[in-house]
Amino acid sequence: MNWPATEPELVSTQHALAQATPPPWTPPDTCLVGGVWVCFPRDLSGTGSAGDRAWGAAVVIDHGGVVGRCLVPGHASASYVPGLLALRLGPLLEDVVRRLEPQPDVLLLDGTGRDHPRRAGLALHLGAVLDLPTVGVTHRPLTASGEWPADVPGAMSPLFIGPDQVAMWLRTRPGTRPLVVHPGWRTDLTTAVAVVSRCLAGRRTPEPLRRARQAARLLRGP
């Protein structure tokens, strides 16, 4: 599967992905969890543009330690438009993850899954391109709504679009904003929350994403 280059092409692909029924993923007993992150220049404002400098980083975590890391400088493929993030970030995310060794069993990224106007956000799309189970982790929902969970670590509450639950609020630390956990490619809500919960290491952000974000920012420099 190639990344669409235009909005109509992406919308068509998203409709197709929303109808896809890949086999569900069952986590192995020992699971390599990856995280991927892209950052932009500190002074970038607005929606950005095609060609913006970008820095991608991906890591693999095993039993709390980094066992693989890949850093790739690149460029954004488009400006940012809600619901069309794949146009801006898809190619760079794919590039850095494909270069990662060892390959993870499941990948975390800052993107949505079914919480999307066409039920096919970047977490779902990247997993389909890579043929890799994925879980999205974001600070807020894109289109879904639901009450916050109790201020207790591990507390959860559902996020809905209409009658359909598409994601989950997850409280990772007391006194901080909960995260949104999104099932992506080949993952369901239960599996997605389990993967994220196992990777917290006492912090608000799952360790694979935190380490990838840190690496991307170091690559960018001050």
Side-chain angles (χ1 to χ4, degrees):
M1 178 186 294
N2 295 322
W3 290 101
T6 66
E7 180 176 339
E9 290 174 352
L10 177 55
V11 168
S12 177
T13 298
Q14 289 172 337
H15 282 301
L17 285 170
Q19 299 301 317
T21 55
W25 175 67
T26 301
D29 293 335
T30 301
C31 188
L32 297 179
V33 184
V36 63
W37 192 274
V38 172
C39 67
F40 293 97
R42 293 180 182 273
D43 59 355
L44 192 67
S45 61
T47 60
S49 304
D52 287 336
R53 294 184 68 195
W55 294 266
V59 302
V60 178
I61 300 286
D62 183 21
H63 292 94
V66 176
V67 296
R69 180 186 287 109
C70 182
L71 309 173
V72 177
H75 297 86
S77 304
S79 60
Y80 170 71
V81 177
L84 302 175
L85 188 57
L87 288 179
R88 181 165 175 80
L89 296 184
L92 180 55
L93 289 169
E94 179 188 3
D95 186 20
V96 67
V97 175
R98 286 203 184 278
R99 300 188 194 200
L100 186 59
E101 290 294 340
Q103 283 284 290
D105 296 302
V106 60
L107 180 71
L108 305 185
L109 67 146
D110 179 19
T112 71
R114 301 294 181 181
D115 175 19
H116 185 273
R118 289 165 292 282
R119 304 295 195 273
L122 182 58
L124 191 74
H125 197 158
L126 182 62
V129 169
L130 294 169
D131 192 23
L132 184 66
T134 52
V135 174
V137 181
T138 64
H139 293 293
R140 56 185 55 84
L142 180 60
T143 59
S145 60
E147 296 295 323
W148 278 15
D151 192 17
V152 178
M156 296 178 287
S157 57
L159 282 154
F160 294 93
I161 297 177
D164 300 323
Q165 184 178 354
V166 295
M168 186 81 79
W169 283 117
L170 173 65
R171 185 80 68 176
T172 57
R173 292 186 67 180
T176 63
R177 183 185 180 92
L179 297 176
V180 183
V181 178
H182 305 265
W185 187 248
R186 297 184 60 198
T187 57
D188 58 20
L189 277 164
T190 300
T191 299
V193 169
V195 169
V196 171
S197 297
R198 287 168 55 182
C199 296
L200 291 175
R203 302 178 186 270
R204 176 174 181 260
T205 303
E207 197 69 359
L209 271 186
R210 190 185 74 83
R211 295 291 191 96
R213 181 179 63 196
Q214 183 182 62
R217 290 173 175 174
L218 287 173
L219 179 64
R220 175 185 63 188

